[in-house]
Amino acid sequence: MDPVTAVFLPDFQIKQGGNFTGFLKDSTEDMVLNGKIARLTYKGLEQTGWNINANATKNSIEVNASCKKISFSDSVFAGNFKFILSSQNDHVDFESYWCDYAGSGGNENGNRSLFSTSGIIKGLAQFEDYPRIQIQLEPSQIVLADTVWKINPNHNIVLDTASVSIHNLSISTTTQFLKIDGQIDSTEKSGISVLLSSFTLRNFKSYLEKKGIHLDGTLYGNLFISHVLHKP
């Protein structure tokens, strides 16, 4: 597959063993694809243990995929990813799950209670006005540094060919709060506004310490990030 990916996905490389099986029926337009990839890299991220199962008909597509481990560095990695996509007509329902062992004292064989970071994110992507894509996240949660963060469903995310718009996307715990608003595009005035309340730097402690960075404290206030597509 390397000659194909070199043309269409130049940042994608299969490093070790992969095989795919399936069939396509012209008469019914049905398709089944099952695949496994032992090890691959994409934009520098090494990933192991991919399994993909896809079924498609004339009007729908269903995809189930899982990944054992994604390495962000030698000491920071996440595992047990699972992705579920279900597409029909002009919308896609998606779900993603993961568990992160970094900084938890666990490993691939560790107990689930040891995981310091995990997540369950569900949502809907609508393609009625394609190439404009509207994304709505359903009630979801992320566990970071053993703290549960909940995603507020009352928001709006729009992806377009030249911009990303985010309105009222908030993530909170019982004591901490983070809210994102703004638009990312190529204009100088575009940017993202971030509101922080009681946001503790302990959320990133395990990752930062592995980089030799020691920070502590709590953040309050507003942050505006401009030139996101260039040099923020």
Side-chain angles (χ1 to χ4, degrees), residues 47-112:
Q47 306 168 40
T48 58
W50 270 103
N51 288 276
I52 302 171
N53 299 286
N55 295 274
T57 66
K58 184 177 181 179
N59 299 313
S60 66
I61 300 174
E62 291 187 2
V63 179
N64 285 268
S66 62
C67 177
K68 184 178 180 182
K69 181 180 177 182
I70 299 178
S71 299
F72 301 97
S73 69
D74 292 339
S75 57
V76 178
F77 55 92
N80 288 346
F81 282 90
K82 185 175 183 181
F83 307 91
I84 302 172
L85 300 178
S86 178
S87 171
Q88 189 167 11
N89 298 323
D90 55 10
H91 70 271
V92 176
D93 292 292
F94 60 87
E95 301 178 20
S96 62
Y97 309 83
W98 75 91
C99 297
D100 180 5
Y101 306 95
S104 66
N107 52 43
E108 293 96 330
N109 300 314
N111 190 291
R112 180 174 294 272

Side-chain angles (χ1 to χ4, degrees), residues 151-211:
I151 299 175
N152 170 30
N154 298 316
H155 62 270
N156 189 37
I157 302 172
V158 177
L159 309 180
D160 210 334
T161 53
S163 66
V164 177
S165 177
I166 303 173
H167 176 65
N168 197 38
L169 176 59
S170 64
I171 307 173
S172 61
T173 71
T174 55
T175 58
Q176 303 179 66
F177 181 81
L178 182 151
K179 180 182 176 182
I180 301 174
D181 273 290
Q183 180 166 308
I184 302 171
D185 58 37
S186 59
T187 63
E188 292 186 1
K189 294 183 178 181
S190 69
I192 293 294
S193 176
V194 181
L195 172 64
L196 300 168
S197 179
S198 300
F199 187 85
T200 174
L201 294 174
R202 186 178 67 87
N203 295 316
F204 305 104
K205 181 179 179 180
S206 61
Y207 175 76
L208 293 175
E209 286 184 347
K210 286 179 172 58
K211 297 292 184 179

